Amino acid sequence: MSAAIAYDSADPRIGPRAHLRHVGALTRRNLMRIKADPESILDAVLVPIIFTLLFVYVFGGAVSGDQHTYIQYMVPGLLGTTGLNLAMAVGTGLNSDFQTGVMDRFRTLPIGRASVLLSKIAAETCRGLLSFTILIGFSMILGLEIDGGFAALLAAVGLSLLFGMSVVWISMLLGMSLRSAQAVQGVSMLVIMPLQFGSSIFAPTSSMPGWLQAFTRVNPLSNLADACRALINGHGAVAHPVGIVLIWAVAITAVTAPLAVARFRKRT
């Protein structure tokens, strides 16, 4: 995110304080659009509930022997995949904004170009917090125990949110690079599916073939799931998976944020 601000600050007419005001105003606009169209947050509200019910009661007995044990295993990992799903959906909406002429209006306004993208991330952060709250609350009703304590739970949510918001830059870059919202959605699924199911989110990796285990070891979602699991359950290694997730989040942002801002400048 800081890389994007630095990139856009090359315009001497717009200072950092003006950027913050622009981000705040555009974030309020994005949130007001959600208020006017509540159906746009159905994925943030319903997907955590549906995923939890399906995986706990369909796979829980087969994977862990009983549903309670599987809730403790799967739900912390589901934090990461929920954030990823929400993040990758941003590109579809951004592509639609270009197609419907919304970005033509922004082009006429004296605002920093990066402010438009940063406001998308700020609004998506709010959606992510809503989705995580529903996921954790519903899972606790089903029997999830927060053995690591409230502070550890906040750390797991924060880590998941940080990684998800770094992936938003990839989604926005796709949204500005592909021609249609359908194409953005299709490519996003090609990214999401291998990362989700080629990880330790839904099942232990010990029974997987060697080549797939090699992939899961470098898969950031596996490290995110392991970190959240250790934090929420109160046992297991924390420092190593947290460090790997932080490295991935910083690297993704550092590479894709300047590319996304440059692409946005070119299109507007």
Side-chain angles (χ1 to χ4, degrees):
M1 188 179 297
S2 60
I5 295 176
Y7 186 95
D8 200 54
S9 296
D11 188 344
R13 298 170 299 174
I14 302 175
R17 293 181 64 181
H19 270 290
L20 291 176
R21 289 197 302 271
H22 299 160
V23 170
L26 292 172
T27 299
R28 286 193 297 272
R29 170 190 174 274
N30 291 331
L31 294 177
M32 289 299 292
R33 289 182 64 186
I34 293 175
K35 182 180 179 180
D37 182 20
E39 293 178 357
S40 64
I41 62 170
L42 282 179
D43 58 338
V45 174
L46 296 180
V47 167
I49 296 175
I50 293 172
F51 266 47
T52 303
L53 286 174
L54 284 177
F55 281 97
V56 167
Y57 291 106
V58 173
F59 298 110
V63 174
S64 299
D66 64 90
Q67 280 75 28
H68 177 72
T69 302
Y70 191 61
I71 287 176
Q72 296 298 133
Y73 180 87
M74 187 270 296
V75 170
L78 204 57
L79 285 171
T81 192
T82 298
L84 180 65
N85 284 322
L86 292 176
M88 293 304 289
V90 175
T92 304
L94 185 61
N95 185 277
S96 297
D97 286 344
F98 277 102
Q99 302 298 331
T100 56
V102 172
M103 293 303 170
D104 292 333
R105 181 182 179 187
F106 288 151
R107 187 187 309 169
T108 65
L109 300 176
I111 60 175
R113 294 294 180 258
S115 302
V116 178
L117 303 184
L118 292 174
S119 67
K120 290 280 188 182
I121 291 181
E124 196 60 30
T125 299
C126 296
R127 276 173 33 96
L129 288 173
L130 171 64
S131 190
F132 291 153
T133 300
I134 292 172
L135 171 63
I136 295 298
F138 184 71
S139 299
M140 291 180 69
I141 293 174
L142 295 182
L144 176 70
E145 298 177 1
I146 313 298
D147 296 326
F150 184 69
L153 174 62
L154 291 181
V157 169
L159 188 65
S160 301
L161 194 62
L162 176 66
F163 179 76
M165 294 310 101
S166 71
V167 176
V168 170
W169 290 108
I170 299 177
S171 180
M172 291 192 295
L173 185 58
L174 290 174
M176 293 181 288
S177 301
L178 300 177
R179 293 186 177 182
S180 67
Q182 290 83 0
V184 177
Q185 188 174 22
V187 173
S188 297
M189 289 302 297
L190 291 176
V191 174
I192 290 174
M193 295 296 286
L195 289 176
Q196 283 183 338
F197 293 101
S199 71
S200 62
I201 292 176
F202 302 110
T205 61
S206 56
S207 61
M208 299 179 182
W211 62 269
L212 187 53
Q213 289 188 35
F215 175 76
T216 62
R217 282 194 291 269
V218 299
N219 184 346
L221 281 187
S222 289
N223 289 282
L224 179 55
D226 294 341
C228 291
R229 200 171 288 128
L231 287 166
I232 290 176
N233 292 334
H235 58 83
V238 176
H240 177 73
V242 167
I244 296 298
V245 173
L246 292 177
I247 290 172
W248 270 103
V250 171
I252 290 171
T253 302
V255 172
T256 57
L259 293 175
V261 174
R263 183 64 180 173
F264 186 77
R265 283 173 173 266
K266 183 177 180 179
R267 291 202 60 171
T268 57

